[in-house]
Amino acid sequence: EGCAINQSLTALGLVIKQLAEIQRDPGKRRRNSVDERTKAIPFRASKLTFLLRESLAGNSRTFMVGAVSPASISADETISTLRFASSVKRVKTVALQNVNKKQ
């Protein structure tokens, strides 16, 4: 079970890295639509990334919460968590209000 969790977290890291790279390249953003850009992102690499697809690249507001510890024994995990949070910070989503046309 631990291996499956690590594979899912690795896949999530790759997805976030690719989303951040796409948003960093403004020329690529103008040429392609959002759907075309997200086709190359491996959301289906794990169940976790598949479930989080709309949260990561869709119409939503997403927050990242990281648990860190001041204990010196947890320094490696804390640094890893902060690096991951830093990469998540580069991904920007735009939430639009869904409006029903009948109203």
Side-chain angles (χ1 to χ4, degrees), residues 17-91:
K17 179 182 173 188
Q18 288 186 350
L19 285 170
E21 286 176 2
I22 286 172
Q23 293 176 356
R24 190 175 12 178
D25 184 10
K28 196 172 191 179
R29 187 182 318 162
R30 282 187 216 120
R31 285 187 298 233
N32 300 332
S33 70
V34 174
D35 292 334
E36 290 175 0
R37 290 183 296 146
T38 58
K39 280 183 185 176
I41 298 172
F43 287 111
R44 293 183 177 254
S46 75
K47 290 180 184 178
L48 177 65
T49 55
F50 185 74
L51 291 173
L52 292 176
R53 180 179 183 184
E54 290 299 318
S55 297
L56 295 172
N59 181 18
S60 66
R61 295 189 102 180
T62 306
F63 294 92
M64 195 296 192
V65 178
V68 297
S69 172
S72 61
I73 197 167
S74 301
D76 291 338
E77 290 85 5
T78 298
I79 291 170
S80 176
T81 300
L82 292 174
R83 282 187 185 140
F84 183 74
S86 176
S87 66
V88 171
K89 185 176 160 182
R90 289 181 281 173
V91 176

Side-chain angles (χ1 to χ4, degrees), residues 82-102:
L82 292 174
R83 282 187 185 140
F84 183 74
S86 176
S87 66
V88 171
K89 185 176 160 182
R90 289 181 281 173
V91 176
K92 304 291 182 200
T93 58
V94 179
L96 302 173
Q97 183 177 8
N98 296 329
V99 178
N100 190 356
K101 293 183 181 184
K102 292 181 180 179

